[in-house]
Amino acid sequence: MDSKSTSYETAINMSETESIKQKSSSAAPIIATTKTISHNQKGGWRRGVSIFDFILRLCALVTTLAAATTMGTTEETLPLFTQFFQFQASYDDLPAFSYFVVANAIASAYVVLSLPFSIVCIVRPHLVGAKLVLLILDTVMVAFTTAAASAAAAIVYLAHNGNSTTQWVAICQQFGDFCQRVSGAVVASFIAAFIFIILVVFSAVTLRRHN
């Protein structure tokens, strides 16, 4: 009886061991499949953010280029006087406007150079180095474009309203077209600065998700 019960218990233990091995071997592919799906979902999210980053850079290129070209081609001459005695308003008469043109031109060039890096981030969404470089340079562009737009906005405000304390006369009543163009350029530059801020936020969130 003892030998029979022992052999019976051994058979039960062997069958239980085999069933446990079968369960563990069948569970392994499920775990691997879950990890693969999770990895693909993260890669898809990062690629989507990179595509949105590329679109925002195209918008920033349009706005900075429009701001620079609009301001850089702004000039108006009053048609009330002869060719020997004329009143003329040009962007390069004011250093703030000249700085505005240079700053937005540099921002436009930077955006063009950053587009290949943005494309690389779309192709390889797990790449960290390129995103870190773009984050740093985008932050610089935020300060650059904001400073240029703010300096030009102060001059535009004085051109529209003047300043009685300093005897600065408002000139927009006479140079209406000039003021409209420089005002539009300033608005475009502020939009570009806002786009760069969005780019910085998205880059920071993406890098945070990598960790």
Side-chain angles (χ1 to χ4, degrees), residues 54 57-58 60-62 64-65 104-119 134 138 141 196:
F54 182 79
R57 291 185 188 281
L58 292 178
L61 176 61
V62 172
T64 53
L65 195 60
N104 281 277
I106 292 174
S108 300
Y110 160 72
V111 174
V112 172
L113 294 176
S114 70
L115 290 177
F117 289 92
S118 183
I119 294 174
L134 290 177
D138 287 343
M141 288 300 112
F196 280 122

PDB file of all heavy atoms in Angstrom, residues 54 57-58 60-62 64-65 104-119 134 138 141 196:
ATOM      1  N   PHE A  54       6.946  69.996 -35.815  1.00  0.00           N
ATOM      2  CA  PHE A  54       7.339  70.406 -37.165  1.00  0.00           C
ATOM      3  C   PHE A  54       6.354  71.420 -37.743  1.00  0.00           C
ATOM      4  O   PHE A  54       6.763  72.418 -38.368  1.00  0.00           O
ATOM      5  CB  PHE A  54       7.416  69.170 -38.064  1.00  0.00           C
ATOM      6  CG  PHE A  54       7.861  69.457 -39.469  1.00  0.00           C
ATOM      7  CD1 PHE A  54       9.201  69.659 -39.762  1.00  0.00           C
ATOM      8  CD2 PHE A  54       6.943  69.537 -40.507  1.00  0.00           C
ATOM      9  CE1 PHE A  54       9.616  69.931 -41.058  1.00  0.00           C
ATOM     10  CE2 PHE A  54       7.347  69.803 -41.793  1.00  0.00           C
ATOM     11  CZ  PHE A  54       8.687  70.001 -42.078  1.00  0.00           C
ATOM     12  N   ARG A  57       6.878  74.788 -36.185  1.00  0.00           N
ATOM     13  CA  ARG A  57       8.083  75.444 -36.710  1.00  0.00           C
ATOM     14  C   ARG A  57       7.811  76.097 -38.066  1.00  0.00           C
ATOM     15  O   ARG A  57       8.351  77.175 -38.365  1.00  0.00           O
ATOM     16  CB  ARG A  57       9.239  74.449 -36.803  1.00  0.00           C
ATOM     17  CG  ARG A  57       9.742  74.021 -35.454  1.00  0.00           C
ATOM     18  CD  ARG A  57      10.955  73.122 -35.493  1.00  0.00           C
ATOM     19  NE  ARG A  57      11.212  72.650 -34.139  1.00  0.00           N
ATOM     20  CZ  ARG A  57      11.824  73.376 -33.207  1.00  0.00           C
ATOM     21  NH1 ARG A  57      12.270  74.585 -33.513  1.00  0.00           N
ATOM     22  NH2 ARG A  57      12.010  72.911 -31.996  1.00  0.00           N
ATOM     23  N   LEU A  58       7.002  75.463 -38.866  1.00  0.00           N
ATOM     24  CA  LEU A  58       6.616  76.093 -40.133  1.00  0.00           C
ATOM     25  C   LEU A  58       5.826  77.375 -39.876  1.00  0.00           C
ATOM     26  O   LEU A  58       6.037  78.393 -40.566  1.00  0.00           O
ATOM     27  CB  LEU A  58       5.784  75.115 -40.973  1.00  0.00           C
ATOM     28  CG  LEU A  58       6.518  73.883 -41.509  1.00  0.00           C
ATOM     29  CD1 LEU A  58       5.544  72.997 -42.287  1.00  0.00           C
ATOM     30  CD2 LEU A  58       7.675  74.291 -42.417  1.00  0.00           C
ATOM     31  N   ALA A  60       6.102  79.254 -37.194  1.00  0.00           N
ATOM     32  CA  ALA A  60       7.064  80.226 -36.683  1.00  0.00           C
ATOM     33  C   ALA A  60       7.890  80.826 -37.815  1.00  0.00           C
ATOM     34  O   ALA A  60       8.210  82.025 -37.791  1.00  0.00           O
ATOM     35  CB  ALA A  60       7.978  79.559 -35.657  1.00  0.00           C
ATOM     36  N   LEU A  61       8.220  80.020 -38.808  1.00  0.00           N
ATOM     37  CA  LEU A  61       8.966  80.532 -39.958  1.00  0.00           C
ATOM     38  C   LEU A  61       8.158  81.580 -40.707  1.00  0.00           C
ATOM     39  O   LEU A  61       8.684  82.636 -41.094  1.00  0.00           O
ATOM     40  CB  LEU A  61       9.336  79.372 -40.891  1.00  0.00           C
ATOM     41  CG  LEU A  61      10.036  79.749 -42.193  1.00  0.00           C
ATOM     42  CD1 LEU A  61      11.363  80.454 -41.920  1.00  0.00           C
ATOM     43  CD2 LEU A  61      10.261  78.504 -43.055  1.00  0.00           C
ATOM     44  N   VAL A  62       6.877  81.303 -40.902  1.00  0.00           N
ATOM     45  CA  VAL A  62       6.017  82.244 -41.625  1.00  0.00           C
ATOM     46  C   VAL A  62       5.906  83.563 -40.858  1.00  0.00           C
ATOM     47  O   VAL A  62       6.039  84.646 -41.441  1.00  0.00           O
ATOM     48  CB  VAL A  62       4.616  81.624 -41.855  1.00  0.00           C
ATOM     49  CG1 VAL A  62       3.661  82.664 -42.416  1.00  0.00           C
ATOM     50  CG2 VAL A  62       4.717  80.441 -42.800  1.00  0.00           C
ATOM     51  N   THR A  64       7.879  84.902 -38.357  1.00  0.00           N
ATOM     52  CA  THR A  64       9.128  85.661 -38.228  1.00  0.00           C
ATOM     53  C   THR A  64       9.557  86.259 -39.562  1.00  0.00           C
ATOM     54  O   THR A  64      10.031  87.408 -39.613  1.00  0.00           O
ATOM     55  CB  THR A  64      10.251  84.763 -37.689  1.00  0.00           C
ATOM     56  OG1 THR A  64      10.352  83.573 -38.497  1.00  0.00           O
ATOM     57  CG2 THR A  64       9.986  84.368 -36.251  1.00  0.00           C
ATOM     58  N   LEU A  65       9.371  85.507 -40.629  1.00  0.00           N
ATOM     59  CA  LEU A  65       9.728  86.025 -41.952  1.00  0.00           C
ATOM     60  C   LEU A  65       8.815  87.178 -42.341  1.00  0.00           C
ATOM     61  O   LEU A  65       9.269  88.196 -42.904  1.00  0.00           O
ATOM     62  CB  LEU A  65       9.653  84.902 -42.987  1.00  0.00           C
ATOM     63  CG  LEU A  65      10.327  85.150 -44.333  1.00  0.00           C
ATOM     64  CD1 LEU A  65      11.813  85.416 -44.144  1.00  0.00           C
ATOM     65  CD2 LEU A  65      10.113  83.965 -45.252  1.00  0.00           C
ATOM     66  N   ASN A 104      14.335  89.182 -35.969  1.00  0.00           N
ATOM     67  CA  ASN A 104      13.383  88.279 -36.637  1.00  0.00           C
ATOM     68  C   ASN A 104      14.012  87.575 -37.827  1.00  0.00           C
ATOM     69  O   ASN A 104      13.632  86.438 -38.148  1.00  0.00           O
ATOM     70  CB  ASN A 104      12.147  89.065 -37.072  1.00  0.00           C
ATOM     71  CG  ASN A 104      11.180  89.322 -35.932  1.00  0.00           C
ATOM     72  OD1 ASN A 104      10.368  88.484 -35.580  1.00  0.00           O
ATOM     73  ND2 ASN A 104      11.287  90.504 -35.340  1.00  0.00           N
ATOM     74  N   ALA A 105      14.972  88.218 -38.486  1.00  0.00           N
ATOM     75  CA  ALA A 105      15.690  87.543 -39.573  1.00  0.00           C
ATOM     76  C   ALA A 105      16.519  86.382 -39.021  1.00  0.00           C
ATOM     77  O   ALA A 105      16.555  85.289 -39.613  1.00  0.00           O
ATOM     78  CB  ALA A 105      16.577  88.535 -40.310  1.00  0.00           C
ATOM     79  N   ILE A 106      17.176  86.607 -37.874  1.00  0.00           N
ATOM     80  CA  ILE A 106      17.941  85.522 -37.249  1.00  0.00           C
ATOM     81  C   ILE A 106      17.012  84.401 -36.797  1.00  0.00           C
ATOM     82  O   ILE A 106      17.323  83.206 -36.954  1.00  0.00           O
ATOM     83  CB  ILE A 106      18.747  86.074 -36.055  1.00  0.00           C
ATOM     84  CG1 ILE A 106      19.849  87.012 -36.555  1.00  0.00           C
ATOM     85  CG2 ILE A 106      19.354  84.939 -35.235  1.00  0.00           C
ATOM     86  CD1 ILE A 106      20.601  87.712 -35.452  1.00  0.00           C
ATOM     87  N   ALA A 107      15.860  84.755 -36.252  1.00  0.00           N
ATOM     88  CA  ALA A 107      14.895  83.733 -35.833  1.00  0.00           C
ATOM     89  C   ALA A 107      14.404  82.926 -37.031  1.00  0.00           C
ATOM     90  O   ALA A 107      14.240  81.703 -36.932  1.00  0.00           O
ATOM     91  CB  ALA A 107      13.724  84.391 -35.112  1.00  0.00           C
ATOM     92  N   SER A 108      14.180  83.581 -38.159  1.00  0.00           N
ATOM     93  CA  SER A 108      13.753  82.870 -39.370  1.00  0.00           C
ATOM     94  C   SER A 108      14.825  81.892 -39.828  1.00  0.00           C
ATOM     95  O   SER A 108      14.530  80.736 -40.179  1.00  0.00           O
ATOM     96  CB  SER A 108      13.455  83.870 -40.484  1.00  0.00           C
ATOM     97  OG  SER A 108      12.431  84.760 -40.116  1.00  0.00           O
ATOM     98  N   ALA A 109      16.091  82.351 -39.821  1.00  0.00           N
ATOM     99  CA  ALA A 109      17.191  81.466 -40.225  1.00  0.00           C
ATOM    100  C   ALA A 109      17.309  80.282 -39.271  1.00  0.00           C
ATOM    101  O   ALA A 109      17.554  79.137 -39.704  1.00  0.00           O
ATOM    102  CB  ALA A 109      18.493  82.254 -40.265  1.00  0.00           C
ATOM    103  N   TYR A 110      17.130  80.533 -37.991  1.00  0.00           N
ATOM    104  CA  TYR A 110      17.194  79.440 -37.017  1.00  0.00           C
ATOM    105  C   TYR A 110      16.103  78.404 -37.271  1.00  0.00           C
ATOM    106  O   TYR A 110      16.353  77.189 -37.209  1.00  0.00           O
ATOM    107  CB  TYR A 110      17.065  79.983 -35.594  1.00  0.00           C
ATOM    108  CG  TYR A 110      16.652  78.917 -34.610  1.00  0.00           C
ATOM    109  CD1 TYR A 110      17.541  77.921 -34.219  1.00  0.00           C
ATOM    110  CD2 TYR A 110      15.349  78.873 -34.103  1.00  0.00           C
ATOM    111  CE1 TYR A 110      17.154  76.929 -33.335  1.00  0.00           C
ATOM    112  CE2 TYR A 110      14.958  77.885 -33.224  1.00  0.00           C
ATOM    113  CZ  TYR A 110      15.864  76.920 -32.849  1.00  0.00           C
ATOM    114  OH  TYR A 110      15.474  75.915 -31.988  1.00  0.00           O
ATOM    115  N   VAL A 111      14.884  78.862 -37.546  1.00  0.00           N
ATOM    116  CA  VAL A 111      13.785  77.926 -37.784  1.00  0.00           C
ATOM    117  C   VAL A 111      14.083  77.051 -39.002  1.00  0.00           C
ATOM    118  O   VAL A 111      13.828  75.838 -38.996  1.00  0.00           O
ATOM    119  CB  VAL A 111      12.455  78.680 -37.966  1.00  0.00           C
ATOM    120  CG1 VAL A 111      11.349  77.709 -38.348  1.00  0.00           C
ATOM    121  CG2 VAL A 111      12.069  79.405 -36.678  1.00  0.00           C
ATOM    122  N   VAL A 112      14.636  77.653 -40.045  1.00  0.00           N
ATOM    123  CA  VAL A 112      14.983  76.872 -41.242  1.00  0.00           C
ATOM    124  C   VAL A 112      16.014  75.800 -40.900  1.00  0.00           C
ATOM    125  O   VAL A 112      15.900  74.640 -41.330  1.00  0.00           O
ATOM    126  CB  VAL A 112      15.515  77.805 -42.352  1.00  0.00           C
ATOM    127  CG1 VAL A 112      16.058  76.991 -43.522  1.00  0.00           C
ATOM    128  CG2 VAL A 112      14.408  78.731 -42.835  1.00  0.00           C
ATOM    129  N   LEU A 113      17.020  76.169 -40.104  1.00  0.00           N
ATOM    130  CA  LEU A 113      18.045  75.205 -39.721  1.00  0.00           C
ATOM    131  C   LEU A 113      17.521  74.141 -38.761  1.00  0.00           C
ATOM    132  O   LEU A 113      18.080  73.033 -38.698  1.00  0.00           O
ATOM    133  CB  LEU A 113      19.228  75.941 -39.084  1.00  0.00           C
ATOM    134  CG  LEU A 113      20.012  76.881 -40.009  1.00  0.00           C
ATOM    135  CD1 LEU A 113      21.094  77.619 -39.224  1.00  0.00           C
ATOM    136  CD2 LEU A 113      20.623  76.121 -41.175  1.00  0.00           C
ATOM    137  N   SER A 114      16.479  74.457 -38.009  1.00  0.00           N
ATOM    138  CA  SER A 114      15.944  73.496 -37.042  1.00  0.00           C
ATOM    139  C   SER A 114      14.993  72.480 -37.680  1.00  0.00           C
ATOM    140  O   SER A 114      14.702  71.451 -37.053  1.00  0.00           O
ATOM    141  CB  SER A 114      15.208  74.228 -35.918  1.00  0.00           C
ATOM    142  OG  SER A 114      14.001  74.813 -36.384  1.00  0.00           O
ATOM    143  N   LEU A 115      14.517  72.754 -38.874  1.00  0.00           N
ATOM    144  CA  LEU A 115      13.570  71.827 -39.518  1.00  0.00           C
ATOM    145  C   LEU A 115      14.157  70.434 -39.740  1.00  0.00           C
ATOM    146  O   LEU A 115      13.463  69.434 -39.503  1.00  0.00           O
ATOM    147  CB  LEU A 115      13.072  72.424 -40.842  1.00  0.00           C
ATOM    148  CG  LEU A 115      12.132  73.630 -40.722  1.00  0.00           C
ATOM    149  CD1 LEU A 115      11.769  74.166 -42.099  1.00  0.00           C
ATOM    150  CD2 LEU A 115      10.879  73.269 -39.945  1.00  0.00           C
ATOM    151  N   PRO A 116      15.424  70.301 -40.202  1.00  0.00           N
ATOM    152  CA  PRO A 116      15.974  68.929 -40.331  1.00  0.00           C
ATOM    153  C   PRO A 116      16.024  68.187 -39.006  1.00  0.00           C
ATOM    154  O   PRO A 116      15.765  66.976 -38.963  1.00  0.00           O
ATOM    155  CB  PRO A 116      17.381  69.178 -40.891  1.00  0.00           C
ATOM    156  CG  PRO A 116      17.294  70.484 -41.595  1.00  0.00           C
ATOM    157  CD  PRO A 116      16.340  71.294 -40.779  1.00  0.00           C
ATOM    158  N   PHE A 117      16.337  68.879 -37.914  1.00  0.00           N
ATOM    159  CA  PHE A 117      16.349  68.223 -36.603  1.00  0.00           C
ATOM    160  C   PHE A 117      14.950  67.771 -36.214  1.00  0.00           C
ATOM    161  O   PHE A 117      14.776  66.703 -35.619  1.00  0.00           O
ATOM    162  CB  PHE A 117      16.893  69.187 -35.540  1.00  0.00           C
ATOM    163  CG  PHE A 117      18.355  69.456 -35.660  1.00  0.00           C
ATOM    164  CD1 PHE A 117      18.816  70.533 -36.397  1.00  0.00           C
ATOM    165  CD2 PHE A 117      19.287  68.633 -35.041  1.00  0.00           C
ATOM    166  CE1 PHE A 117      20.167  70.789 -36.515  1.00  0.00           C
ATOM    167  CE2 PHE A 117      20.641  68.885 -35.154  1.00  0.00           C
ATOM    168  CZ  PHE A 117      21.088  69.966 -35.893  1.00  0.00           C
ATOM    169  N   SER A 118      13.948  68.578 -36.556  1.00  0.00           N
ATOM    170  CA  SER A 118      12.569  68.198 -36.265  1.00  0.00           C
ATOM    171  C   SER A 118      12.159  66.963 -37.066  1.00  0.00           C
ATOM    172  O   SER A 118      11.444  66.091 -36.555  1.00  0.00           O
ATOM    173  CB  SER A 118      11.631  69.369 -36.573  1.00  0.00           C
ATOM    174  OG  SER A 118      10.299  69.058 -36.243  1.00  0.00           O
ATOM    175  N   ILE A 119      12.622  66.883 -38.316  1.00  0.00           N
ATOM    176  CA  ILE A 119      12.326  65.705 -39.140  1.00  0.00           C
ATOM    177  C   ILE A 119      12.983  64.461 -38.559  1.00  0.00           C
ATOM    178  O   ILE A 119      12.395  63.371 -38.534  1.00  0.00           O
ATOM    179  CB  ILE A 119      12.777  65.950 -40.588  1.00  0.00           C
ATOM    180  CG1 ILE A 119      11.943  67.074 -41.217  1.00  0.00           C
ATOM    181  CG2 ILE A 119      12.646  64.676 -41.424  1.00  0.00           C
ATOM    182  CD1 ILE A 119      12.409  67.492 -42.595  1.00  0.00           C
ATOM    183  N   LEU A 134      17.162  71.401 -29.432  1.00  0.00           N
ATOM    184  CA  LEU A 134      16.061  72.268 -29.868  1.00  0.00           C
ATOM    185  C   LEU A 134      15.420  72.993 -28.693  1.00  0.00           C
ATOM    186  O   LEU A 134      15.033  74.165 -28.820  1.00  0.00           O
ATOM    187  CB  LEU A 134      15.012  71.438 -30.612  1.00  0.00           C
ATOM    188  CG  LEU A 134      15.418  70.894 -31.988  1.00  0.00           C
ATOM    189  CD1 LEU A 134      14.307  70.026 -32.569  1.00  0.00           C
ATOM    190  CD2 LEU A 134      15.764  72.027 -32.947  1.00  0.00           C
ATOM    191  N   ASP A 138      15.339  76.928 -28.713  1.00  0.00           N
ATOM    192  CA  ASP A 138      13.998  77.530 -28.721  1.00  0.00           C
ATOM    193  C   ASP A 138      13.824  78.509 -27.567  1.00  0.00           C
ATOM    194  O   ASP A 138      13.189  79.554 -27.715  1.00  0.00           O
ATOM    195  CB  ASP A 138      12.926  76.432 -28.630  1.00  0.00           C
ATOM    196  CG  ASP A 138      12.795  75.642 -29.926  1.00  0.00           C
ATOM    197  OD1 ASP A 138      13.270  76.122 -30.968  1.00  0.00           O
ATOM    198  OD2 ASP A 138      12.218  74.546 -29.884  1.00  0.00           O
ATOM    199  N   MET A 141      15.408  81.672 -28.537  1.00  0.00           N
ATOM    200  CA  MET A 141      14.580  82.397 -29.506  1.00  0.00           C
ATOM    201  C   MET A 141      13.380  83.068 -28.840  1.00  0.00           C
ATOM    202  O   MET A 141      12.922  84.117 -29.297  1.00  0.00           O
ATOM    203  CB  MET A 141      14.092  81.442 -30.600  1.00  0.00           C
ATOM    204  CG  MET A 141      15.176  81.008 -31.564  1.00  0.00           C
ATOM    205  SD  MET A 141      15.936  82.402 -32.438  1.00  0.00           S
ATOM    206  CE  MET A 141      17.578  82.366 -31.729  1.00  0.00           C
ATOM    207  N   PHE A 196       7.132  79.950 -30.178  1.00  0.00           N
ATOM    208  CA  PHE A 196       8.359  79.425 -29.582  1.00  0.00           C
ATOM    209  C   PHE A 196       8.123  78.969 -28.140  1.00  0.00           C
ATOM    210  O   PHE A 196       8.710  77.973 -27.698  1.00  0.00           O
ATOM    211  CB  PHE A 196       9.462  80.482 -29.631  1.00  0.00           C
ATOM    212  CG  PHE A 196      10.140  80.602 -30.968  1.00  0.00           C
ATOM    213  CD1 PHE A 196      10.160  81.808 -31.642  1.00  0.00           C
ATOM    214  CD2 PHE A 196      10.771  79.509 -31.546  1.00  0.00           C
ATOM    215  CE1 PHE A 196      10.779  81.929 -32.876  1.00  0.00           C
ATOM    216  CE2 PHE A 196      11.395  79.613 -32.774  1.00  0.00           C
ATOM    217  CZ  PHE A 196      11.402  80.823 -33.452  1.00  0.00           C
TER     218      PHE A 196
END
